[in-house]
Amino acid sequence: MHDTSILLIELGTVLLALGLLGRLGRRIGLSPIPLYLIAGLAFGHGGLLPLSASEEFIEVGAEMGVILLLVMLGLEYSAGELVGNLRASAPAGLLDAVLNAVPGAAFALLMGWDWVAALVLAGITWVSSSGVIAKVLNDLGRLGNRETPVVLSVLVIEDLAMALYLPFLTAVLAGVSLAAGASSLVIAVATVVVVLLVAIRFGHAISAFISADDAEALLLGVLGLTLLVSGLADWLQVSAAVGAFLVGIALSGPVAHHAVQLLTPLRDLFAAVFFVFFGLSTHPGEIPHVLLPALALAVLTMSTKVLTGYLAAKRAGIALPGRFRAGLALMPRGEFSIVIAGLAVAAGVEPQLASLATAYVLITVVTGPMLARLPDTEWFKAMLRRRTAAVAARAALQTPDPHL
């Protein structure tokens, strides 16, 4: 059979399978991300239906998926909103980094891995999945809740931190010297600061350069600008994903609004391909060997995420039920964790890292949305009412009686 025919048959099979899995995920109220990862395991080396002709094509599609995920995330915020959130939520972001990155790094060292693998695992356990959490909040009808801005602020801080973490990690994985790594970080910081300043002062001019009136021209303009900046960022070792994120931040107004509508179907297509590609790079036979460590890591870092959200919401003056809703909503890890693991796998860091990251993300993505529903259950509400009553009773006992 002709190579092109095999390529088309394989791609058609993969996309058809993804479509059916996405539909299944919506039917059972589950994020499609774990199903896409499982599909990647099935189509990868050692899987049920290993691909032969389309793997290289899917690899390029996966790169597009990362870029589109990040530019869409950037389009959700203006530069001013981003800077404002950074100032207001910096303490919560610092707490988030300490509580969730440190356990990942410590876990890697306990596994006997080197400091580079520890740096990678710290990033994997640190960042929650913006895509999965946004879907969970929408599905549970919590977008208007008081704790939701706290959750979104933590996610924004994490996204901004990734703009500095990813280029630094890229330099470390490339095996450059300490001086070269520091140089890459300085370039990354300078690039982020310059883009934010340009976006704040001249964002309207950049948006005006791309017309929002012509859908075709808008789609080509935004996509072309994103790929161009991503390529230049990659050339400067700042990370193509970060370049895409900054383009999204720089665009605003009607251009950003219409670009979100036009790019969403493309994002969904290539993001699915990205998750499949990560599954392709993982041998299914390696999963059972890392299942228990992945489960232990998931239990540990999902607990620290609950604590992060609880304390951040408490600091914002949110009542007890809202604190638990914020903490439980932040548990799923997803696209960023896979991006970080993908960079490490491509650099040849620790052979077990890919399978551990896949199992870890699968566990948190499947159980996180289910556990996020706990505050809506009657027994959980009753437990919180008993706890609130007990706290009020203790406070009353400690208050001096004015009649005595």
Side-chain angles (χ1 to χ4, degrees):
M1 192 180 293
H2 195 274
D3 288 347
T4 304
S5 304
I6 298 174
L7 175 66
L8 293 175
I9 290 170
E10 287 187 357
L11 280 179
T13 303
V14 170
L15 294 179
L16 182 60
L18 295 183
L20 294 174
L21 289 173
R23 187 177 177 187
L24 174 65
R26 283 190 292 275
R27 281 283 182 92
I28 60 178
L30 185 68
S31 164
I33 292 175
L35 302 179
Y36 294 159
L37 287 170
I38 292 171
L41 293 173
F43 289 122
H45 301 292
L48 298 175
L49 294 169
L51 304 177
S52 58
S54 57
E55 192 167 349
E56 188 175 345
F57 186 91
I58 291 176
E59 183 177 358
V60 176
E63 291 283 341
M64 289 286 294
V66 176
I67 288 171
L68 287 169
L69 276 170
L70 271 292
V71 72
M72 292 288 288
L73 197 60
L75 286 170
E76 296 293 329
Y77 307 101
S78 69
E81 290 170 339
L82 199 66
V83 173
N85 275 321
L86 179 61
R87 287 174 179 164
S89 306
L94 183 61
L95 180 73
D96 178 36
V98 172
L99 285 179
N100 297 287
V102 173
F107 195 89
L109 296 175
L110 284 175
M111 293 273 288
W113 296 353
D114 63 13
W115 71 273
V116 176
L119 181 65
V120 172
L121 199 56
I124 290 172
T125 58
W126 176 7
V127 189
S128 298
S129 170
S130 302
V132 175
I133 292 170
K135 189 174 188 308
V136 169
L137 293 176
N138 183 61
D139 291 347
L140 298 181
R142 296 179 183 169
L143 292 179
N145 283 17
R146 282 197 64 207
E147 77 277 3
T148 298
V150 175
V151 174
L152 296 179
S153 296
V154 172
L155 295 177
V156 170
I157 294 285
E158 288 179 351
D159 295 339
L160 194 60
M162 285 298 102
L164 304 177
Y165 170 84
L166 286 178
F168 179 70
L169 179 66
T170 304
V172 170
L173 293 175
V176 299
S177 65
L178 185 61
S183 172
S184 295
L185 186 59
V186 169
I187 292 173
V189 172
T191 304
V192 170
V193 171
V194 168
V195 171
L196 285 177
L197 289 175
V198 170
I200 290 173
R201 288 182 172 274
F202 306 107
H204 62 284
I206 297 172
S207 300
F209 179 73
I210 302 173
S211 171
D213 299 330
D214 186 331
E216 182 180 345
L218 176 63
L219 175 63
L220 294 173
V222 173
L223 193 58
L225 180 64
T226 303
L227 293 177
L228 174 63
V229 174
S230 299
L232 291 172
D234 189 58
W235 181 58
L236 291 170
Q237 295 188 343
V238 176
S239 165
V242 175
F245 181 64
L246 294 175
V247 169
I249 292 172
L251 298 176
S252 60
V255 169
H257 177 70
H258 293 303
V260 168
Q261 295 176 325
L262 291 172
L263 288 175
T264 296
L266 279 179
R267 188 271 316 267
D268 293 343
L269 169 64
F270 285 105
V273 171
F274 166 71
F275 289 114
V276 167
F277 176 72
F278 189 79
L280 288 178
S281 62
T282 305
H283 196 293
E286 297 172 355
I287 296 289
H289 301 294
V290 297
L291 195 54
L292 285 179
L295 186 60
L297 185 63
V299 171
L300 172 65
T301 56
M302 288 170 79
S303 302
T304 54
K305 271 295 179 186
V306 174
L307 183 60
T308 301
Y310 183 95
L311 294 176
K314 183 180 180 182
R315 184 174 176 274
I318 308 295
L320 193 61
R323 297 174 198 170
F324 280 103
R325 284 196 295 268
L328 291 166
L330 283 168
M331 290 189 294
R333 271 65 159 194
E335 55 273 14
F336 262 127
S337 297
I338 297 297
V339 168
I340 293 166
L343 291 172
V345 170
V349 173
E350 192 54 48
Q352 284 190 315
L353 187 59
S355 49
L356 178 71
T358 301
Y360 172 76
V361 171
L362 278 171
I363 293 169
T364 61
V365 165
V366 172
T367 59
M370 290 192 290
L371 293 174
R373 299 173 186 268
L374 280 180
D376 296 334
T377 60
E378 288 304 321
W379 70 266
F380 198 90
K381 291 178 181 176
M383 183 190 73
L384 292 184
R385 282 196 293 270
R386 287 195 298 271
R387 178 175 170 177
T388 304
V391 171
R394 281 199 299 271
L397 287 174
Q398 293 171 357
T399 304
D401 190 339
H403 301 293
L404 294 178

